[in-house]
Amino acid sequence: MDLLTLTLNEERRVTLTAVLQGTGGEYHKLTKRRPAVLVLPGGGYDYCSERESEPVALAFAKAGYQAFVLRYSTGAFKDWPNPMEDYEQAMELIRGKADEWNLWPDKLAVIGFSAGGHLAACGATIGRNRPDAAVLIYPVTTQESADMCGAGMPAPVEHVSASTPPCFLAATRTDMTVPVLDSLRFEQELVRYGIEFESHIYGYGNHGFATGDPYMNDTPVCARTADWIPDCIGWLEDLFGVPTFTGFEDPVCPRTVNADRADVLSLDCTVAHLLRQEGEAAELLTPVRSALDRAVAEYSDHGRNVEPLFRLRTLREMLRRIGFPAEDLGDLDDALKKIPNPEKA
Amino acid sequence: MDLLTLTLNEERRVTLTAVLQGTGGEYHKLTKRRPAVLVLPGGGYDYCSERESEPVALAFAKAGYQAFVLRYSTGAFKDWPNPMEDYEQAMELIRGKADEWNLWPDKLAVIGFSAGGHLAACGATIGRNRPDAAVLIYPVTTQESADMCGAGMPAPVEHVSASTPPCFLAATRTDMTVPVLDSLRFEQELVRYGIEFESHIYGYGNHGFATGDPYMNDTPVCARTADWIPDCIGWLEDLFGVPTFTGFEDPVCPRTVNADRADVLSLDCTVAHLLRQEGEAAELLTPVRSALDRAVAEYSDHGRNVEPLFRLRTLREMLRRIGFPAEDLGDLDDALKKIPNPEKA
Amino acid sequence: MDLLTLTLNEERRVTLTAVLQGTGGEYHKLTKRRPAVLVLPGGGYDYCSERESEPVALAFAKAGYQAFVLRYSTGAFKDWPNPMEDYEQAMELIRGKADEWNLWPDKLAVIGFSAGGHLAACGATIGRNRPDAAVLIYPVTTQESADMCGAGMPAPVEHVSASTPPCFLAATRTDMTVPVLDSLRFEQELVRYGIEFESHIYGYGNHGFATGDPYMNDTPVCARTADWIPDCIGWLEDLFGVPTFTGFEDPVCPRTVNADRADVLSLDCTVAHLLRQEGEAAELLTPVRSALDRAVAEYSDHGRNVEPLFRLRTLREMLRRIGFPAEDLGDLDDALKKIPNPEKA
Amino acid sequence: MDLLTLTLNEERRVTLTAVLQGTGGEYHKLTKRRPAVLVLPGGGYDYCSERESEPVALAFAKAGYQAFVLRYSTGAFKDWPNPMEDYEQAMELIRGKADEWNLWPDKLAVIGFSAGGHLAACGATIGRNRPDAAVLIYPVTTQESADMCGAGMPAPVEHVSASTPPCFLAATRTDMTVPVLDSLRFEQELVRYGIEFESHIYGYGNHGFATGDPYMNDTPVCARTADWIPDCIGWLEDLFGVPTFTGFEDPVCPRTVNADRADVLSLDCTVAHLLRQEGEAAELLTPVRSALDRAVAEYSDHGRNVEPLFRLRTLREMLRRIGFPAEDLGDLDDALKKIPNPEKA
């Protein structure tokens, strides 16, 4: 194992610490490359918290990741866009050294806490260098909270889009430094754009619970806060694939909840999206329309309105639910995939 | 152990199943009374799902609860307010038989799934008989989703208030039957009224994951869904106290995040709430104002706006953060508690 | 769900309580039949503990099992073989009603605590009706401990054999009622006969921790004691297969650690076992002998004695370790399996 | 965080790697000093496994420990007592630098795997520098297994004594490299001397499962193997106290199961030990003897032999069980503690 500390900006005291583990040898196929995390500690842009730095990097390193900690511009140097530039520089450096440091440049998650969560959320929404997943722990996302960090800070919640990567959020209900609303509102924006996320809002505990270990906290904190790291590792494995001795298993969780903004049409678009297509797509869908119509009729007793389901369900899921024969679907999917999606991201 | 099934409404086929465990004897002090849960299975008001009934009740019974399942009016009998009346009847029956069934009438949680989550959320917001905690698993809360269940169903998200009890929510991001927004919007309303909650939104999995056990699901579901039951039991213990052999430990989690709507003022009101009081309260707070002013000055470098913190933090927490001597606070709290709160719920 | 209580012996007050859950319907393929557990509570043959009865049955019922509790002969009726006869009667009844009660007669585990663990261990070693797995929680297994229960009780540790089923054991190091040695010595016997087992000896806690839940214990108990139920469910799934919506997944854990007592020879016999065969088997093994000889030579530097490895490793594992080509093994295994094992159980 | 690599013996390529985390500052009282672990990787004394080195140290570092990895003499340099000398040198160095490296010299656990488990067990039994706890993961403890590592290796199982520290053991039932008996026999010796231990024998999995993470294993391994690290951290906290922001909580688990080898007598000696004392001790015990006699008479129905209980139970526990008034015990304990224990270790 190597521990490197690289100075990214001497004047602003910006450093990147790297915890790099071996590859090949006993690890066989797996660690020709490893997945990676970049940790952005919190501290209100006044300082970078030790409690949210190495202890977090160590947990992911143990789980098989190359782990980095960025100590970005704070205090006298915190004015925007300094911290953002530090982030971009770190991401470029890490992906640029993917070969040397034996990591997958497309399995790189950023993990930010509080103000570092603000920076991570900025990276995920307005960064030139988007992470492959963003882990936001009691993050600042709204303008009001950003203003508590300093003037001129952007509000990442206002910049979520179809190009935002999947996100993992954790916070406590009783946070009295950054409101839990900063997490909830960010999640709502992720819903708007169909982005995958996972979220854990724990019942109580102070802002800054870090890893949730008892030695991290000087006030009572919900015991379940310590679950976020194993839960996050599980989620990243769902997204990136489980690292095993012989390589990565296939991911089980898609990065968007439907294909309404994909390049081409498919069964994974919502029913509503497909039904508003014209021309060839409409023609291809003729055989399933009657099945859908029958289903609608069936569901619509008692004045029930099923129309929202069409916006929620992919055609694949809708047809599965109504028992449409699965063997008839492969050809339809193939044919749809030849049609460009007019609403692609 | 006894298993009772009581018919609440023969015509509408409404039944209450009770899993009742012994008290006294080997259980000593604890089970003079036990805490209790009332399970409301889902099924779109078409039927009551078996998967969301006994398996859930059994898990809570094992953890020491008296456990009930209400099979409420569905199908031909689902029209509102039939299911709501069933709920009220069940709650009254359970609390009315608290002595006979050896349960604490003020430690009674309702647990609802999907449409049952709608019913549980209605109980928690517009019910005559409020539960002491509401556990809402992929619940229907919005008007749009309620309309998918049938005409005339209320939207509990519109009725959250200061008298709503603490809530625990769980859902999956990729739910294609009830949108995850139904949970997120409900949580936002709980924030608005300062109500305690815990929430777990898992990365993926179909609507209806029930206990999350593999035998419950016919499509891939995020492994973490199976955590909701132990997490919920932990959360209920935080709220109700841990049941032990010699009685209940004290609760560690309050039912509201601050005391802004309590009967009297206290250090647990937010700074903003207290600062807008006049008369005696204002006078009592004079000594801490200068400490607050110094803190504001300190935080307000770089154009930072700290004013939102005053709406978020209790005075107790704010004074702790700025290092105000704890020994000076007891008298202040006692004095504040003699002053009625003009904004009490 | 049904809760039945059947009287097995009125005079001796022996009852069998059954927690039976539905099949078919929402459970599809799975619950044409379910796996099953028979719980034997402890109580020193003086009584049957409530704490070790329904709370345990409920946990397994929640996990998908048909669950039974036998209240066997105790107190004035405890003299051997009364409790054993009760056990046999219960096992015959459960397996005899496998169709009616929708359970797999070959996926039936017995779970015993303390004196009930003695009875379960007797069932697993000298019973006419062997369980498919035995779960022994702080069990009595030695003559000395059996004598503490009453005169004339057998010592199951002396009757372990190749026909004993796989076992799961849990106990605390500081048990002051039944020595932890009763578990350790039983495990050593299981080793002697190549039987699969799992064992968790927790650091501290009194005898009788039951489910490990705080409300079960009136003295401090190691928090990890509460893990035995989920760990045991995981172990049973390894042995029986995971119950899913579409049936059981294949077991991943074999019931014996090698095939030295199987009906026929195979690659899963130990190297030592195969090398002492003569005739056809010896001939078949000629090609692998030179590979083994090379491996022995390689390992035997510095006076190292590798001979014990031959008694420990199956030929399959030994060849895997020394990099023998896997593609050459299928034919050898097939050929070996045509040869009867002279030491079969 | 610092990562140091110190060369302990250049010729034999012995190094000590230290993962040292900060103290004071954000960590307040806690990390004036931290507890510590010394990891001894396995590899059959041929090499030191990477998989059993840093990934393990990282997990404990994350949990708040100063963590060390010793790469001891292997291969051409493995002849005994070279590795043992390396161990002694490392322990002396770590304890000698306790001030500089901010660790508690009396909260130092050694963690060894396989051959490293042999070395750790030697440290715990015949070392000049005993650890405060020994964590033995699939360890070599018997002469037969030690001989598989090389000629002249000692068998730690033969050297367990009253001065052996508490131990944590983990292994798999189906280990085909080091027999599970090496763990079981070691545990039996710990029982003989009254030493605290915890043990987890998982159902199946190859030797060398390391942290149990999927990327560590190239063959199927029982999922529960990954629990040993959190379980071990929990056990160490039971022994050493939980590290919190304001210092260590009191340990809840004693280092021996009774006080039969302590310097003085007390209520924590076994009944048998106390009853065989003469003179003053015998006199002091006169009042409790009649209570014990009554209990014996009560238990001894049906030819039951309760005598083994006297060897198992402390007097404190025995009196608690028979309901002897707790308020009468303090004076007795004080008086006993003035009498030297003739069998002290």
Side-chain angles (χ1 to χ4, degrees), chain A residues 57-324:
Chain A
L58 294 170
F60 285 84
K62 182 264 180 183
Y65 289 71
Q66 307 291 31
F68 301 86
V69 178
L70 177 66
R71 287 177 169 86
Y72 49 86
S73 299
T74 56
F77 307 105
K78 79 176 177 185
D79 288 333
W80 204 258
N82 283 359
M84 192 68 191
E85 281 171 3
D86 304 335
Y87 161 84
E88 302 283 11
Q89 192 182 348
M91 290 293 281
E92 281 162 23
L93 180 64
I94 292 168
R95 285 208 175 110
K97 285 185 177 282
D99 291 347
E100 181 182 338
W101 287 345
N102 299 296
L103 56 87
W104 294 105
D106 60 348
K107 292 181 196 291
L108 170 57
V110 64
I111 302 175
F113 298 80
S114 191
H118 173 259
L119 186 51
C122 287
T125 53
I126 58 173
R128 286 191 314 278
N129 297 282
R130 299 287 165 89
D132 301 295
V135 178
L136 309 175
I137 311 299
Y138 37 85
V140 165
T141 75
T142 62
Q143 195 62 59
E144 187 174 88
S145 297
D147 288 349
M148 287 199 284
C149 296
M153 300 276 179
V157 73
E158 294 167 13
H159 302 285
V160 173
S161 74
S163 58
T164 300
C167 295
F168 181 99
L169 295 100
T172 50
R173 169 66 185 99
T174 60
D175 192 315
M176 294 197 202
T177 299
V178 176
V180 71
L181 263 183
D182 279 54
S183 293
L184 293 182
R185 287 193 43 205
F186 199 84
E187 293 171 23
Q188 279 196 308
E189 291 304 303
L190 295 171
V191 169
R192 183 192 309 272
Y193 291 96
I195 309 297
E196 157 65 14
F197 71 85
E198 176 149 327
S199 154
H200 299 274
I201 311 291
Y202 304 107
Y204 67 97
N206 260 337
H207 189 76
F209 58 74
T211 61
D213 286 297
Y215 77 97
M216 288 293 174
N217 290 286
D218 60 349
T219 53
V221 166
C222 173
R224 297 174 294 289
T225 56
D227 295 340
W228 83 260
I229 291 184
D231 284 355
C232 180
I233 289 170
W235 180 76
L236 286 172
E237 289 179 348
D238 289 347
L239 270 185
F240 291 170
V242 178
T244 74
F245 215 62
T246 52
F248 280 80
E249 291 179 6
D250 286 340
V252 291
C253 178
R255 306 173 70 82
T256 55
V257 299
N258 59 52
D260 284 4
R261 290 164 182 272
D263 290 348
V264 292
L265 299 179
S266 71
L267 288 177
D268 296 309
C269 295
T270 60
V271 179
H273 184 80
L274 289 171
L275 291 188
R276 65 176 169 260
Q277 305 304 316
E278 297 174 350
E280 195 188 345
E283 210 162 309
L284 283 168
L285 292 165
T286 310
V288 305
R289 268 184 190 269
S290 56
L292 289 174
D293 289 345
R294 276 194 308 276
V296 168
E298 211 173 285
Y299 276 115
S300 300
D301 64 327
H302 285 74
R304 207 189 313 225
N305 174 22
V306 300
E307 188 263 347
L309 273 187
F310 283 21
R311 297 201 304 273
L312 192 60
R313 285 194 183 158
T314 61
L315 182 57
R316 188 189 301 280
E317 172 67 5
M318 183 59 95
L319 295 176
R320 186 183 76 83
R321 288 285 188 136
I322 65 179
F324 195 86

Side-chain angles (χ1 to χ4, degrees), chain C residues 39 41 48-58 69 71 113:
Chain C
V39 177
C48 282
S49 164
E50 290 305 301
R51 296 159 52 262
E52 294 161 352
S53 295
E54 273 78 7
V56 179
L58 295 169
V69 178
R71 287 176 169 88
F113 298 79

Side-chain angles (χ1 to χ4, degrees), chain D residues 64-232:
Chain D
Y65 288 72
Q66 306 292 30
F68 301 87
V69 178
L70 175 67
R71 287 176 169 87
Y72 50 84
S73 298
T74 55
F77 306 106
K78 79 176 177 185
D79 287 333
W80 204 258
N82 283 358
M84 192 68 192
E85 281 171 3
D86 304 336
Y87 162 83
E88 301 285 10
Q89 192 182 349
M91 291 292 282
E92 280 161 24
L93 180 64
I94 292 168
R95 286 209 176 109
K97 283 185 178 282
D99 290 348
E100 180 182 339
W101 288 345
N102 299 297
L103 56 88
W104 294 105
D106 60 349
K107 292 180 195 290
L108 169 58
V110 64
I111 302 176
F113 298 79
S114 190
H118 173 260
L119 186 51
C122 286
T125 52
I126 57 172
R128 285 191 315 277
N129 298 281
R130 299 287 164 89
D132 300 296
V135 178
L136 309 176
I137 311 300
Y138 37 83
V140 166
T141 75
T142 61
Q143 195 62 61
E144 187 173 271
S145 297
D147 290 347
M148 286 198 285
C149 295
M153 299 276 180
V157 75
E158 295 167 12
H159 301 285
V160 172
S161 73
S163 58
T164 300
C167 296
F168 180 99
L169 295 100
T172 50
R173 167 67 185 101
T174 59
D175 192 316
M176 294 196 204
T177 299
V178 175
V180 72
L181 263 184
D182 279 54
S183 292
L184 293 183
R185 286 193 46 204
F186 200 83
E187 293 170 25
Q188 279 197 309
E189 292 303 303
L190 295 170
V191 169
R192 183 193 309 271
Y193 291 96
I195 309 297
E196 156 67 15
F197 70 86
E198 177 150 325
S199 153
H200 299 274
I201 311 290
Y202 304 107
Y204 66 97
N206 260 337
H207 189 75
F209 58 75
T211 61
D213 285 298
Y215 77 96
M216 288 294 173
N217 290 285
D218 60 349
T219 53
V221 166
C222 173
R224 297 174 295 289
T225 56
D227 296 339
W228 82 260
I229 290 183
D231 284 354
C232 181

